[in-house]
Amino acid sequence: MSSVDINIRLAGRADVAAVNRALRQLSADMGDEHRATDADIERFCFGPSPILHALLAVTKDGDVVGVAAYSPFFSTVFGTVGIYVSDLWVAGSARGKRLGVRLLAAVRDAGAKAWDADFLRLNVYHNNPRALAFYERIGFVPTTETQYMTLAGTALDTLGEQS
């Protein structure tokens, strides 16, 4: 399979199971638990207020060999819309064909068309040196002045109740 045998397209409602299967494989590859269901993908990608968008990389035979999941956000620092790439996965059989770069370029183009987005942002696990090297090689710059933080579970539920 060559890179020209792979088409990148916006995921549609009929692709819900394929999107989630690809994202489940990414979770497995990363050793992460995968909690998203097909119903979650359906709701958040194609429900009344979509907050998740996805691109699929598909072979001529219809096999999904890549996915990029992303969402827009507004940055007051940049004064423009950015695209947060929450997930990027390329099947082992399609690696080395610049498919990751092609998916990110397709995200850039989709974001520019839909929201006039001006930049991409993503997070990379510290223990994934291959991914870090890939992103740096194509021009992503690590940000050292901020720290990714999460509020979830009981802390989220009780937010505002602390004195």
Side-chain angles (χ1 to χ4, degrees), residues 73-159:
F73 69 97
F74 181 77
S75 168
T76 56
V77 172
F78 290 114
T80 189
V81 173
I83 302 298
Y84 177 70
V85 180
S86 57
D87 297 289
L88 179 68
W89 173 78
V90 174
S93 63
R95 292 190 183 145
K97 298 174 181 11
R98 299 194 41 84
L99 187 53
V101 173
R102 288 181 56 208
L103 280 162
L104 289 168
V107 168
R108 175 204 59 208
D109 295 345
K113 181 178 179 183
W115 307 289
D116 290 328
D118 232 3
F119 66 99
L120 300 179
R121 179 173 288 164
L122 48 77
N123 288 307
V124 183
Y125 287 134
H126 296 290
N127 65 352
N128 192 344
R130 287 183 59 207
L132 287 165
F134 165 73
Y135 292 120
E136 288 179 355
R137 187 171 58 249
I138 62 175
F140 278 85
V141 178
T143 304
T144 58
E145 59 272 356
T146 63
Q147 172 66 47
Y148 187 78
M149 299 181 75
T150 302
L151 183 67
T154 303
L156 178 63
D157 295 342
T158 61
L159 180 64

Side-chain angles (χ1 to χ4, degrees), residues 3 44 55 64 81 101:
S3 65
F44 296 116
L55 294 169
V64 174
V81 173
V101 173

Side-chain angles (χ1 to χ4, degrees), residues 18-50:
V19 168
N20 201 30
R21 224 178 359 264
L23 294 175
R24 186 177 295 110
Q25 186 58 56
L26 172 62
S27 295
D29 291 350
M30 298 304 299
D32 290 338
E33 184 175 354
H34 186 84
R35 294 185 181 115
T37 65
D38 288 0
D40 293 329
I41 301 301
E42 168 87 21
R43 175 181 173 203
F44 296 116
C45 278
F46 305 104
S49 297

Side-chain angles (χ1 to χ4, degrees), residues 45-63:
C45 278
F46 305 104
S49 297
I51 59 167
L52 181 67
H53 305 271
L55 294 169
L56 289 175
V58 184
T59 67
K60 288 181 180 179
D61 298 329
D63 295 327

